[in-house]
Amino acid sequence: MERIEAELFTDGGNDAVLRLPGRRFPGVLVQGDSLHILRSDVAEVVEACEQGDMEEARDSASLLLANLDALLARYEAALSEHGISRPY
């Protein structure tokens, strides 16, 4: 394990926006439990598609998209607040 200093652009809670040394743009730190939930949400969409339940797949995918949109909005707000252009 290596200890480093990173720039923190948001609070240190879930989905913290931070920049590691040597990186031009910040990233998002996703906690392990949040990553597991994200993976489970994708698995629900896949399972619904495999079962042919397009309504359930659409509903699950919509919730997943809403969560990703919220994460992206937090990232973009942090960049904007600190005068950093988006990498895309």
Side-chain angles (χ1 to χ4, degrees):
M1 175 173 56
E2 178 183 356
R3 293 193 180 268
I4 60 170
E5 287 189 29
E7 296 174 272
L8 186 61
F9 294 90
T10 61
D11 61 58
N14 286 338
D15 307 327
V17 178
L18 55 96
R19 181 166 44 201
L20 296 175
R23 300 299 301 198
R24 181 172 175 203
F25 293 101
V28 177
L29 174 64
V30 178
Q31 296 295 320
D33 59 334
S34 297
L35 179 60
H36 185 273
I37 291 168
L38 181 61
R39 190 255 176 233
S40 296
D41 291 346
V42 171
E44 283 182 26
V45 174
V46 171
E47 184 178 332
C49 288
E50 287 173 346
Q51 294 175 355
D53 189 347
M54 293 301 109
E55 185 174 341
E56 178 63 28
R58 186 174 22 262
D59 291 346
S60 295
S62 292
L63 289 173
L64 177 59
L65 180 60
N67 290 336
L68 289 173
D69 283 344
L71 181 60
L72 185 60
R74 178 172 162 85
Y75 176 76
E76 291 174 347
L79 266 60
S80 178
E81 185 177 316
H82 291 89
I84 300 171
S85 63
R86 296 177 189 172
Y88 47 85

